[in-house]
Amino acid sequence: MKRPFKIRHEFVEFIPKEREDGVLYVSIAYATAVHNCFCGCRTKVVTPISPVGWQLTYDGEAVTLWPSVGNWAFPCRSHYLIKRDTVVWAGDMSEDEIAWGRARDKAARATHFHGRPGAVPELEVQTGTPQRKKGLWT
Ligand SMILES: [Zn+2]
């Protein structure tokens, strides 16, 4: 497990093409945050901010992005949280967790777009056995 480390956030209107490592660029105008993957591989990670995407919190000093960033589509497959300008590693994701995360995203979107009340997407980082919770979304 890698150790947590501090990053910086930068509020911008347009996401710059040349991005510094260790910086989370936040465009409120476009409701998007972009950063170079914090594992060091520098893959561009785009996190749309929306009720069914990520939620961004700014407490006046630091930025928190929720839920975790799971880069399972990238070769590095890194998975971390950005909590008050700090990257906290969330551990490797197993194939099961990856599948479950995708199902969760899909379910969250379906719930949102069909406007059904009640089913709030579960946003905690899943460290337990995903199988047990699958029933929620089937
Ligand atoms: Zn990476």
Side-chain angles (χ1 to χ4, degrees), residues 2 8 14 19 29-30 33 60 75 94 110 112 121 134:
K2 285 170 268 184
R8 284 194 298 123
F14 303 103
R19 290 176 309 276
Y30 292 93
S94 68
H112 181 74
K134 256 180 191 156

Side-chain angles (χ1 to χ4, degrees), residues 59-118:
D59 65 5
E61 285 180 1
V63 157
T64 299
L65 198 64
W66 191 259
S68 61
V69 179
N71 297 325
W72 43 72
F74 304 157
C76 69
R77 292 197 161 194
S78 57
H79 182 206
Y80 45 80
L81 293 153
I82 300 165
K83 201 173 171 186
R84 299 206 74 242
D85 283 5
T86 304
V87 172
V88 180
W89 300 97
D92 294 336
M93 302 182 85
S94 68
E95 292 293 336
D96 267 4
E97 283 170 316
I98 290 165
W100 186 85
R102 283 188 176 137
R104 180 199 65 183
D105 291 350
K106 232 171 119 184
R109 275 187 203 105
T111 304
H112 181 74
F113 290 126
H114 297 142
R116 279 196 301 265

Side-chain angles (χ1 to χ4, degrees), residues 37 39 41 76 78:
C37 180
C39 86
C41 76
C76 69
S78 57

